[in-house]
PDB file of all heavy atoms in Angstrom:
ATOM      1  N   PRO A 269       2.864 -20.457   2.757  1.00  0.00           N
ATOM      2  CA  PRO A 269       1.694 -19.676   2.705  1.00  0.00           C
ATOM      3  C   PRO A 269       1.755 -18.470   1.727  1.00  0.00           C
ATOM      4  O   PRO A 269       0.746 -17.933   1.282  1.00  0.00           O
ATOM      5  CB  PRO A 269       1.409 -19.180   4.125  1.00  0.00           C
ATOM      6  CG  PRO A 269       2.767 -19.265   4.749  1.00  0.00           C
ATOM      7  CD  PRO A 269       3.445 -20.431   4.084  1.00  0.00           C
ATOM      8  N   TYR A 270       3.035 -18.108   1.404  1.00  0.00           N
ATOM      9  CA  TYR A 270       3.246 -17.001   0.503  1.00  0.00           C
ATOM     10  C   TYR A 270       2.709 -17.304  -0.885  1.00  0.00           C
ATOM     11  O   TYR A 270       2.467 -16.410  -1.713  1.00  0.00           O
ATOM     12  CB  TYR A 270       4.746 -16.606   0.354  1.00  0.00           C
ATOM     13  CG  TYR A 270       5.573 -17.845  -0.054  1.00  0.00           C
ATOM     14  CD1 TYR A 270       5.712 -18.080  -1.460  1.00  0.00           C
ATOM     15  CD2 TYR A 270       6.201 -18.680   0.846  1.00  0.00           C
ATOM     16  CE1 TYR A 270       6.500 -19.150  -1.887  1.00  0.00           C
ATOM     17  CE2 TYR A 270       6.981 -19.713   0.422  1.00  0.00           C
ATOM     18  CZ  TYR A 270       7.100 -19.997  -0.953  1.00  0.00           C
ATOM     19  OH  TYR A 270       7.867 -21.012  -1.384  1.00  0.00           O
ATOM     20  N   GLN A 271       2.416 -18.556  -1.176  1.00  0.00           N
ATOM     21  CA  GLN A 271       1.864 -18.943  -2.472  1.00  0.00           C
ATOM     22  C   GLN A 271       0.416 -18.422  -2.647  1.00  0.00           C
ATOM     23  O   GLN A 271      -0.147 -18.503  -3.730  1.00  0.00           O
ATOM     24  CB  GLN A 271       1.990 -20.441  -2.691  1.00  0.00           C
ATOM     25  CG  GLN A 271       3.369 -20.996  -2.854  1.00  0.00           C
ATOM     26  CD  GLN A 271       3.482 -22.422  -2.989  1.00  0.00           C
ATOM     27  OE1 GLN A 271       2.589 -23.204  -2.611  1.00  0.00           O
ATOM     28  NE2 GLN A 271       4.592 -22.896  -3.515  1.00  0.00           N
ATOM     29  N   LYS A 272      -0.212 -18.061  -1.505  1.00  0.00           N
ATOM     30  CA  LYS A 272      -1.550 -17.456  -1.581  1.00  0.00           C
ATOM     31  C   LYS A 272      -1.399 -16.048  -1.092  1.00  0.00           C
ATOM     32  O   LYS A 272      -2.031 -15.555  -0.137  1.00  0.00           O
ATOM     33  CB  LYS A 272      -2.586 -18.253  -0.844  1.00  0.00           C
ATOM     34  CG  LYS A 272      -2.269 -18.554   0.631  1.00  0.00           C
ATOM     35  CD  LYS A 272      -3.361 -19.249   1.319  1.00  0.00           C
ATOM     36  CE  LYS A 272      -3.093 -19.624   2.746  1.00  0.00           C
ATOM     37  NZ  LYS A 272      -2.795 -18.450   3.575  1.00  0.00           N
ATOM     38  N   GLY A 273      -0.569 -15.293  -1.808  1.00  0.00           N
ATOM     39  CA  GLY A 273      -0.158 -13.931  -1.357  1.00  0.00           C
ATOM     40  C   GLY A 273      -1.291 -12.923  -1.296  1.00  0.00           C
ATOM     41  O   GLY A 273      -1.245 -11.985  -0.602  1.00  0.00           O
ATOM     42  N   THR A 274      -2.318 -13.160  -2.076  1.00  0.00           N
ATOM     43  CA  THR A 274      -3.405 -12.195  -2.219  1.00  0.00           C
ATOM     44  C   THR A 274      -4.167 -12.132  -0.852  1.00  0.00           C
ATOM     45  O   THR A 274      -4.433 -11.031  -0.267  1.00  0.00           O
ATOM     46  CB  THR A 274      -4.446 -12.576  -3.277  1.00  0.00           C
ATOM     47  OG1 THR A 274      -3.779 -12.641  -4.505  1.00  0.00           O
ATOM     48  CG2 THR A 274      -5.532 -11.523  -3.386  1.00  0.00           C
ATOM     49  N   VAL A 275      -4.477 -13.256  -0.257  1.00  0.00           N
ATOM     50  CA  VAL A 275      -5.178 -13.261   1.045  1.00  0.00           C
ATOM     51  C   VAL A 275      -4.244 -12.884   2.174  1.00  0.00           C
ATOM     52  O   VAL A 275      -4.623 -12.270   3.223  1.00  0.00           O
ATOM     53  CB  VAL A 275      -5.885 -14.631   1.300  1.00  0.00           C
ATOM     54  CG1 VAL A 275      -4.847 -15.718   1.671  1.00  0.00           C
ATOM     55  CG2 VAL A 275      -6.882 -14.495   2.348  1.00  0.00           C
ATOM     56  N   GLU A 276      -2.967 -13.247   2.055  1.00  0.00           N
ATOM     57  CA  GLU A 276      -1.986 -12.812   3.051  1.00  0.00           C
ATOM     58  C   GLU A 276      -1.885 -11.257   3.124  1.00  0.00           C
ATOM     59  O   GLU A 276      -1.869 -10.697   4.161  1.00  0.00           O
ATOM     60  CB  GLU A 276      -0.617 -13.363   2.719  1.00  0.00           C
ATOM     61  CG  GLU A 276      -0.534 -14.890   2.851  1.00  0.00           C
ATOM     62  CD  GLU A 276      -0.533 -15.373   4.331  1.00  0.00           C
ATOM     63  OE1 GLU A 276       0.192 -14.837   5.118  1.00  0.00           O
ATOM     64  OE2 GLU A 276      -1.234 -16.312   4.607  1.00  0.00           O
ATOM     65  N   ASN A 277      -1.851 -10.661   1.922  1.00  0.00           N
ATOM     66  CA  ASN A 277      -1.837  -9.221   1.841  1.00  0.00           C
ATOM     67  C   ASN A 277      -3.104  -8.614   2.427  1.00  0.00           C
ATOM     68  O   ASN A 277      -3.064  -7.573   3.157  1.00  0.00           O
ATOM     69  CB  ASN A 277      -1.638  -8.792   0.388  1.00  0.00           C
ATOM     70  CG  ASN A 277      -1.619  -7.288   0.268  1.00  0.00           C
ATOM     71  OD1 ASN A 277      -2.653  -6.645   0.048  1.00  0.00           O
ATOM     72  ND2 ASN A 277      -0.459  -6.688   0.343  1.00  0.00           N
ATOM     73  N   THR A 278      -4.243  -9.226   2.175  1.00  0.00           N
ATOM     74  CA  THR A 278      -5.531  -8.745   2.651  1.00  0.00           C
ATOM     75  C   THR A 278      -5.529  -8.883   4.218  1.00  0.00           C
ATOM     76  O   THR A 278      -6.031  -7.978   4.873  1.00  0.00           O
ATOM     77  CB  THR A 278      -6.692  -9.550   2.056  1.00  0.00           C
ATOM     78  OG1 THR A 278      -6.675  -9.395   0.669  1.00  0.00           O
ATOM     79  CG2 THR A 278      -8.042  -9.098   2.600  1.00  0.00           C
ATOM     80  N   ASN A 279      -4.975  -9.944   4.715  1.00  0.00           N
ATOM     81  CA  ASN A 279      -4.869 -10.104   6.187  1.00  0.00           C
ATOM     82  C   ASN A 279      -4.113  -8.953   6.822  1.00  0.00           C
ATOM     83  O   ASN A 279      -4.489  -8.481   7.903  1.00  0.00           O
ATOM     84  CB  ASN A 279      -4.246 -11.446   6.589  1.00  0.00           C
ATOM     85  CG  ASN A 279      -5.124 -12.638   6.271  1.00  0.00           C
ATOM     86  OD1 ASN A 279      -6.321 -12.472   6.026  1.00  0.00           O
ATOM     87  ND2 ASN A 279      -4.592 -13.806   6.330  1.00  0.00           N
ATOM     88  N   ASN A 280      -3.052  -8.565   6.195  1.00  0.00           N
ATOM     89  CA  ASN A 280      -2.275  -7.379   6.718  1.00  0.00           C
ATOM     90  C   ASN A 280      -3.139  -6.154   6.776  1.00  0.00           C
ATOM     91  O   ASN A 280      -3.044  -5.347   7.734  1.00  0.00           O
ATOM     92  CB  ASN A 280      -1.054  -7.179   5.793  1.00  0.00           C
ATOM     93  CG  ASN A 280      -0.010  -8.217   5.957  1.00  0.00           C
ATOM     94  OD1 ASN A 280       0.038  -8.941   6.993  1.00  0.00           O
ATOM     95  ND2 ASN A 280       0.833  -8.410   4.975  1.00  0.00           N
ATOM     96  N   ARG A 281      -3.974  -5.987   5.783  1.00  0.00           N
ATOM     97  CA  ARG A 281      -4.904  -4.784   5.759  1.00  0.00           C
ATOM     98  C   ARG A 281      -5.965  -4.961   6.894  1.00  0.00           C
ATOM     99  O   ARG A 281      -6.302  -3.959   7.515  1.00  0.00           O
ATOM    100  CB  ARG A 281      -5.550  -4.622   4.397  1.00  0.00           C
ATOM    101  CG  ARG A 281      -4.593  -4.378   3.325  1.00  0.00           C
ATOM    102  CD  ARG A 281      -5.245  -4.341   1.891  1.00  0.00           C
ATOM    103  NE  ARG A 281      -4.323  -4.267   0.819  1.00  0.00           N
ATOM    104  CZ  ARG A 281      -3.873  -3.099   0.364  1.00  0.00           C
ATOM    105  NH1 ARG A 281      -4.349  -1.998   0.757  1.00  0.00           N
ATOM    106  NH2 ARG A 281      -3.019  -3.072  -0.651  1.00  0.00           N
ATOM    107  N   LEU A 282      -6.473  -6.171   7.016  1.00  0.00           N
ATOM    108  CA  LEU A 282      -7.471  -6.396   7.959  1.00  0.00           C
ATOM    109  C   LEU A 282      -6.963  -6.190   9.401  1.00  0.00           C
ATOM    110  O   LEU A 282      -7.776  -5.815  10.313  1.00  0.00           O
ATOM    111  CB  LEU A 282      -8.054  -7.850   7.847  1.00  0.00           C
ATOM    112  CG  LEU A 282      -8.981  -8.101   6.603  1.00  0.00           C
ATOM    113  CD1 LEU A 282      -9.192  -9.576   6.455  1.00  0.00           C
ATOM    114  CD2 LEU A 282     -10.315  -7.364   6.787  1.00  0.00           C
ATOM    115  N   ARG A 283      -5.722  -6.439   9.642  1.00  0.00           N
ATOM    116  CA  ARG A 283      -5.200  -6.293  10.981  1.00  0.00           C
ATOM    117  C   ARG A 283      -5.306  -4.914  11.536  1.00  0.00           C
ATOM    118  O   ARG A 283      -5.192  -4.681  12.726  1.00  0.00           O
ATOM    119  CB  ARG A 283      -3.705  -6.788  11.032  1.00  0.00           C
ATOM    120  CG  ARG A 283      -3.510  -8.309  11.056  1.00  0.00           C
ATOM    121  CD  ARG A 283      -4.149  -8.944  12.285  1.00  0.00           C
ATOM    122  NE  ARG A 283      -3.947 -10.426  12.301  1.00  0.00           N
ATOM    123  CZ  ARG A 283      -4.570 -11.185  13.063  1.00  0.00           C
ATOM    124  NH1 ARG A 283      -5.478 -10.717  14.013  1.00  0.00           N
ATOM    125  NH2 ARG A 283      -4.318 -12.499  13.077  1.00  0.00           N
ATOM    126  N   LYS A 284      -5.469  -3.932  10.648  1.00  0.00           N
ATOM    127  CA  LYS A 284      -5.655  -2.555  11.108  1.00  0.00           C
ATOM    128  C   LYS A 284      -6.944  -2.490  11.929  1.00  0.00           C
ATOM    129  O   LYS A 284      -7.081  -1.727  12.911  1.00  0.00           O
ATOM    130  CB  LYS A 284      -5.774  -1.597   9.976  1.00  0.00           C
ATOM    131  CG  LYS A 284      -6.038  -0.182  10.357  1.00  0.00           C
ATOM    132  CD  LYS A 284      -5.923   0.753   9.125  1.00  0.00           C
ATOM    133  CE  LYS A 284      -6.200   2.168   9.571  1.00  0.00           C
ATOM    134  NZ  LYS A 284      -6.155   3.145   8.471  1.00  0.00           N
ATOM    135  N   TYR A 285      -7.969  -3.299  11.566  1.00  0.00           N
ATOM    136  CA  TYR A 285      -9.301  -3.262  12.167  1.00  0.00           C
ATOM    137  C   TYR A 285      -9.461  -4.459  13.131  1.00  0.00           C
ATOM    138  O   TYR A 285     -10.271  -4.424  14.036  1.00  0.00           O
ATOM    139  CB  TYR A 285     -10.364  -3.284  11.197  1.00  0.00           C
ATOM    140  CG  TYR A 285     -10.193  -2.279  10.049  1.00  0.00           C
ATOM    141  CD1 TYR A 285      -9.704  -2.671   8.782  1.00  0.00           C
ATOM    142  CD2 TYR A 285     -10.438  -0.919  10.226  1.00  0.00           C
ATOM    143  CE1 TYR A 285      -9.480  -1.734   7.771  1.00  0.00           C
ATOM    144  CE2 TYR A 285     -10.249  -0.030   9.226  1.00  0.00           C
ATOM    145  CZ  TYR A 285      -9.765  -0.404   8.043  1.00  0.00           C
ATOM    146  OH  TYR A 285      -9.573   0.499   7.024  1.00  0.00           O
ATOM    147  N   LEU A 286      -8.652  -5.489  12.921  1.00  0.00           N
ATOM    148  CA  LEU A 286      -8.796  -6.686  13.747  1.00  0.00           C
ATOM    149  C   LEU A 286      -7.394  -7.094  14.259  1.00  0.00           C
ATOM    150  O   LEU A 286      -6.882  -8.193  13.885  1.00  0.00           O
ATOM    151  CB  LEU A 286      -9.348  -7.829  12.826  1.00  0.00           C
ATOM    152  CG  LEU A 286     -10.774  -7.643  12.322  1.00  0.00           C
ATOM    153  CD1 LEU A 286     -11.075  -8.767  11.297  1.00  0.00           C
ATOM    154  CD2 LEU A 286     -11.781  -7.566  13.407  1.00  0.00           C
ATOM    155  N   PRO A 287      -6.803  -6.281  15.099  1.00  0.00           N
ATOM    156  CA  PRO A 287      -5.478  -6.669  15.696  1.00  0.00           C
ATOM    157  C   PRO A 287      -5.641  -7.911  16.543  1.00  0.00           C
ATOM    158  O   PRO A 287      -6.727  -8.324  16.934  1.00  0.00           O
ATOM    159  CB  PRO A 287      -5.143  -5.406  16.532  1.00  0.00           C
ATOM    160  CG  PRO A 287      -6.424  -4.792  16.858  1.00  0.00           C
ATOM    161  CD  PRO A 287      -7.303  -4.983  15.646  1.00  0.00           C
ATOM    162  N   ARG A 288      -4.508  -8.568  16.775  1.00  0.00           N
ATOM    163  CA  ARG A 288      -4.554  -9.764  17.602  1.00  0.00           C
ATOM    164  C   ARG A 288      -5.144  -9.605  19.030  1.00  0.00           C
ATOM    165  O   ARG A 288      -5.612 -10.515  19.650  1.00  0.00           O
ATOM    166  CB  ARG A 288      -3.145 -10.378  17.713  1.00  0.00           C
ATOM    167  CG  ARG A 288      -2.637 -10.868  16.352  1.00  0.00           C
ATOM    168  CD  ARG A 288      -1.285 -11.627  16.468  1.00  0.00           C
ATOM    169  NE  ARG A 288      -0.852 -12.027  15.179  1.00  0.00           N
ATOM    170  CZ  ARG A 288      -1.216 -13.157  14.602  1.00  0.00           C
ATOM    171  NH1 ARG A 288      -2.034 -13.940  15.218  1.00  0.00           N
ATOM    172  NH2 ARG A 288      -0.766 -13.563  13.412  1.00  0.00           N
ATOM    173  N   SER A 289      -5.084  -8.353  19.430  1.00  0.00           N
ATOM    174  CA  SER A 289      -5.594  -8.088  20.784  1.00  0.00           C
ATOM    175  C   SER A 289      -7.102  -7.899  20.786  1.00  0.00           C
ATOM    176  O   SER A 289      -7.711  -7.705  21.874  1.00  0.00           O
ATOM    177  CB  SER A 289      -4.971  -6.804  21.326  1.00  0.00           C
ATOM    178  OG  SER A 289      -5.240  -5.638  20.487  1.00  0.00           O
ATOM    179  N   THR A 290      -7.796  -8.011  19.629  1.00  0.00           N
ATOM    180  CA  THR A 290      -9.216  -7.908  19.585  1.00  0.00           C
ATOM    181  C   THR A 290      -9.923  -8.917  20.452  1.00  0.00           C
ATOM    182  O   THR A 290      -9.487 -10.090  20.487  1.00  0.00           O
ATOM    183  CB  THR A 290      -9.715  -8.048  18.084  1.00  0.00           C
ATOM    184  OG1 THR A 290      -9.067  -7.010  17.258  1.00  0.00           O
ATOM    185  CG2 THR A 290     -11.216  -7.907  17.963  1.00  0.00           C
ATOM    186  N   GLU A 291     -11.011  -8.472  21.064  1.00  0.00           N
ATOM    187  CA  GLU A 291     -11.837  -9.410  21.782  1.00  0.00           C
ATOM    188  C   GLU A 291     -12.877 -10.031  20.851  1.00  0.00           C
ATOM    189  O   GLU A 291     -13.850  -9.350  20.458  1.00  0.00           O
ATOM    190  CB  GLU A 291     -12.565  -8.645  22.957  1.00  0.00           C
ATOM    191  CG  GLU A 291     -13.598  -9.490  23.667  1.00  0.00           C
ATOM    192  CD  GLU A 291     -13.105 -10.791  24.188  1.00  0.00           C
ATOM    193  OE1 GLU A 291     -12.264 -10.782  25.165  1.00  0.00           O
ATOM    194  OE2 GLU A 291     -13.438 -11.841  23.616  1.00  0.00           O
ATOM    195  N   PRO A 292     -12.652 -11.229  20.315  1.00  0.00           N
ATOM    196  CA  PRO A 292     -13.445 -11.720  19.172  1.00  0.00           C
ATOM    197  C   PRO A 292     -14.927 -11.964  19.491  1.00  0.00           C
ATOM    198  O   PRO A 292     -15.772 -11.970  18.607  1.00  0.00           O
ATOM    199  CB  PRO A 292     -12.774 -13.032  18.781  1.00  0.00           C
ATOM    200  CG  PRO A 292     -11.970 -13.474  19.997  1.00  0.00           C
ATOM    201  CD  PRO A 292     -11.580 -12.184  20.704  1.00  0.00           C
ATOM    202  N   THR A 293     -15.228 -12.180  20.802  1.00  0.00           N
ATOM    203  CA  THR A 293     -16.601 -12.394  21.200  1.00  0.00           C
ATOM    204  C   THR A 293     -17.462 -11.118  20.884  1.00  0.00           C
ATOM    205  O   THR A 293     -18.683 -11.255  20.817  1.00  0.00           O
ATOM    206  CB  THR A 293     -16.726 -12.715  22.628  1.00  0.00           C
ATOM    207  OG1 THR A 293     -16.145 -11.697  23.443  1.00  0.00           O
ATOM    208  CG2 THR A 293     -16.058 -14.021  22.904  1.00  0.00           C
ATOM    209  N   ALA A 294     -16.864 -10.043  20.751  1.00  0.00           N
ATOM    210  CA  ALA A 294     -17.532  -8.773  20.515  1.00  0.00           C
ATOM    211  C   ALA A 294     -17.732  -8.520  19.035  1.00  0.00           C
ATOM    212  O   ALA A 294     -18.414  -7.561  18.605  1.00  0.00           O
ATOM    213  CB  ALA A 294     -16.832  -7.562  21.115  1.00  0.00           C
ATOM    214  N   LEU A 295     -17.145  -9.372  18.163  1.00  0.00           N
ATOM    215  CA  LEU A 295     -17.246  -9.126  16.728  1.00  0.00           C
ATOM    216  C   LEU A 295     -18.642  -9.505  16.263  1.00  0.00           C
ATOM    217  O   LEU A 295     -19.042 -10.667  16.416  1.00  0.00           O
ATOM    218  CB  LEU A 295     -16.180  -9.971  15.989  1.00  0.00           C
ATOM    219  CG  LEU A 295     -14.717  -9.611  16.236  1.00  0.00           C
ATOM    220  CD1 LEU A 295     -13.763 -10.565  15.488  1.00  0.00           C
ATOM    221  CD2 LEU A 295     -14.458  -8.179  15.796  1.00  0.00           C
ATOM    222  N   THR A 296     -19.313  -8.583  15.585  1.00  0.00           N
ATOM    223  CA  THR A 296     -20.667  -8.877  15.008  1.00  0.00           C
ATOM    224  C   THR A 296     -20.568  -8.959  13.533  1.00  0.00           C
ATOM    225  O   THR A 296     -19.566  -8.388  12.896  1.00  0.00           O
ATOM    226  CB  THR A 296     -21.589  -7.720  15.398  1.00  0.00           C
ATOM    227  OG1 THR A 296     -21.152  -6.509  14.782  1.00  0.00           O
ATOM    228  CG2 THR A 296     -21.735  -7.528  16.904  1.00  0.00           C
ATOM    229  N   ASN A 297     -21.505  -9.623  12.924  1.00  0.00           N
ATOM    230  CA  ASN A 297     -21.513  -9.732  11.465  1.00  0.00           C
ATOM    231  C   ASN A 297     -21.629  -8.329  10.798  1.00  0.00           C
ATOM    232  O   ASN A 297     -21.042  -8.052   9.780  1.00  0.00           O
ATOM    233  CB  ASN A 297     -22.665 -10.623  11.007  1.00  0.00           C
ATOM    234  CG  ASN A 297     -22.442 -12.028  11.331  1.00  0.00           C
ATOM    235  OD1 ASN A 297     -21.255 -12.505  11.345  1.00  0.00           O
ATOM    236  ND2 ASN A 297     -23.521 -12.767  11.586  1.00  0.00           N
ATOM    237  N   ARG A 298     -22.315  -7.461  11.437  1.00  0.00           N
ATOM    238  CA  ARG A 298     -22.469  -6.105  10.968  1.00  0.00           C
ATOM    239  C   ARG A 298     -21.136  -5.367  10.916  1.00  0.00           C
ATOM    240  O   ARG A 298     -20.820  -4.703   9.912  1.00  0.00           O
ATOM    241  CB  ARG A 298     -23.503  -5.298  11.764  1.00  0.00           C
ATOM    242  CG  ARG A 298     -23.788  -3.843  11.372  1.00  0.00           C
ATOM    243  CD  ARG A 298     -24.751  -3.176  12.193  1.00  0.00           C
ATOM    244  NE  ARG A 298     -25.008  -1.811  11.758  1.00  0.00           N
ATOM    245  CZ  ARG A 298     -25.841  -0.961  12.381  1.00  0.00           C
ATOM    246  NH1 ARG A 298     -26.599  -1.391  13.411  1.00  0.00           N
ATOM    247  NH2 ARG A 298     -26.027   0.252  11.906  1.00  0.00           N
ATOM    248  N   TYR A 299     -20.343  -5.554  11.973  1.00  0.00           N
ATOM    249  CA  TYR A 299     -19.097  -4.889  12.043  1.00  0.00           C
ATOM    250  C   TYR A 299     -18.153  -5.446  10.997  1.00  0.00           C
ATOM    251  O   TYR A 299     -17.424  -4.730  10.308  1.00  0.00           O
ATOM    252  CB  TYR A 299     -18.417  -5.048  13.389  1.00  0.00           C
ATOM    253  CG  TYR A 299     -17.028  -4.462  13.533  1.00  0.00           C
ATOM    254  CD1 TYR A 299     -16.885  -3.056  13.360  1.00  0.00           C
ATOM    255  CD2 TYR A 299     -15.937  -5.278  13.802  1.00  0.00           C
ATOM    256  CE1 TYR A 299     -15.538  -2.551  13.486  1.00  0.00           C
ATOM    257  CE2 TYR A 299     -14.654  -4.723  13.853  1.00  0.00           C
ATOM    258  CZ  TYR A 299     -14.461  -3.435  13.674  1.00  0.00           C
ATOM    259  OH  TYR A 299     -13.230  -2.850  13.764  1.00  0.00           O
ATOM    260  N   LEU A 300     -18.143  -6.802  10.843  1.00  0.00           N
ATOM    261  CA  LEU A 300     -17.248  -7.452   9.829  1.00  0.00           C
ATOM    262  C   LEU A 300     -17.676  -7.031   8.447  1.00  0.00           C
ATOM    263  O   LEU A 300     -16.783  -6.818   7.608  1.00  0.00           O
ATOM    264  CB  LEU A 300     -17.368  -8.928   9.977  1.00  0.00           C
ATOM    265  CG  LEU A 300     -16.816  -9.584  11.274  1.00  0.00           C
ATOM    266  CD1 LEU A 300     -17.011 -11.098  11.319  1.00  0.00           C
ATOM    267  CD2 LEU A 300     -15.321  -9.281  11.410  1.00  0.00           C
ATOM    268  N   ARG A 301     -18.950  -6.873   8.172  1.00  0.00           N
ATOM    269  CA  ARG A 301     -19.394  -6.403   6.841  1.00  0.00           C
ATOM    270  C   ARG A 301     -18.896  -4.966   6.626  1.00  0.00           C
ATOM    271  O   ARG A 301     -18.581  -4.614   5.480  1.00  0.00           O
ATOM    272  CB  ARG A 301     -20.931  -6.477   6.748  1.00  0.00           C
ATOM    273  CG  ARG A 301     -21.478  -7.879   6.482  1.00  0.00           C
ATOM    274  CD  ARG A 301     -22.899  -7.826   6.010  1.00  0.00           C
ATOM    275  NE  ARG A 301     -23.830  -7.179   6.974  1.00  0.00           N
ATOM    276  CZ  ARG A 301     -24.441  -7.848   7.974  1.00  0.00           C
ATOM    277  NH1 ARG A 301     -24.288  -9.218   8.058  1.00  0.00           N
ATOM    278  NH2 ARG A 301     -25.257  -7.220   8.821  1.00  0.00           N
ATOM    279  N   SER A 302     -18.936  -4.189   7.604  1.00  0.00           N
ATOM    280  CA  SER A 302     -18.474  -2.766   7.501  1.00  0.00           C
ATOM    281  C   SER A 302     -17.026  -2.717   7.156  1.00  0.00           C
ATOM    282  O   SER A 302     -16.514  -1.884   6.350  1.00  0.00           O
ATOM    283  CB  SER A 302     -18.736  -1.974   8.735  1.00  0.00           C
ATOM    284  OG  SER A 302     -17.887  -2.333   9.812  1.00  0.00           O
ATOM    285  N   ILE A 303     -16.171  -3.636   7.716  1.00  0.00           N
ATOM    286  CA  ILE A 303     -14.755  -3.675   7.388  1.00  0.00           C
ATOM    287  C   ILE A 303     -14.547  -4.106   5.942  1.00  0.00           C
ATOM    288  O   ILE A 303     -13.786  -3.467   5.203  1.00  0.00           O
ATOM    289  CB  ILE A 303     -14.057  -4.728   8.270  1.00  0.00           C
ATOM    290  CG1 ILE A 303     -14.129  -4.243   9.770  1.00  0.00           C
ATOM    291  CG2 ILE A 303     -12.597  -4.936   7.847  1.00  0.00           C
ATOM    292  CD1 ILE A 303     -13.471  -5.261  10.775  1.00  0.00           C
TER     293      ILE A 303
END
Side-chain angles (χ1 to χ4, degrees):
Y270 58 85
Q271 293 178 338
K272 53 178 179 60
T274 304
V275 73
E276 293 286 316
N277 178 268
T278 300
N279 287 349
N280 289 336
R281 296 173 187 273
L282 285 168
R283 282 299 182 191
K284 177 175 181 179
Y285 312 102
L286 299 171
R288 293 186 180 276
S289 58
T290 299
E291 173 53 71
T293 56
L295 295 177
T296 64
N297 289 329
R298 181 178 181 181
Y299 177 65
L300 294 177
R301 283 196 299 270
S302 71
I303 294 175

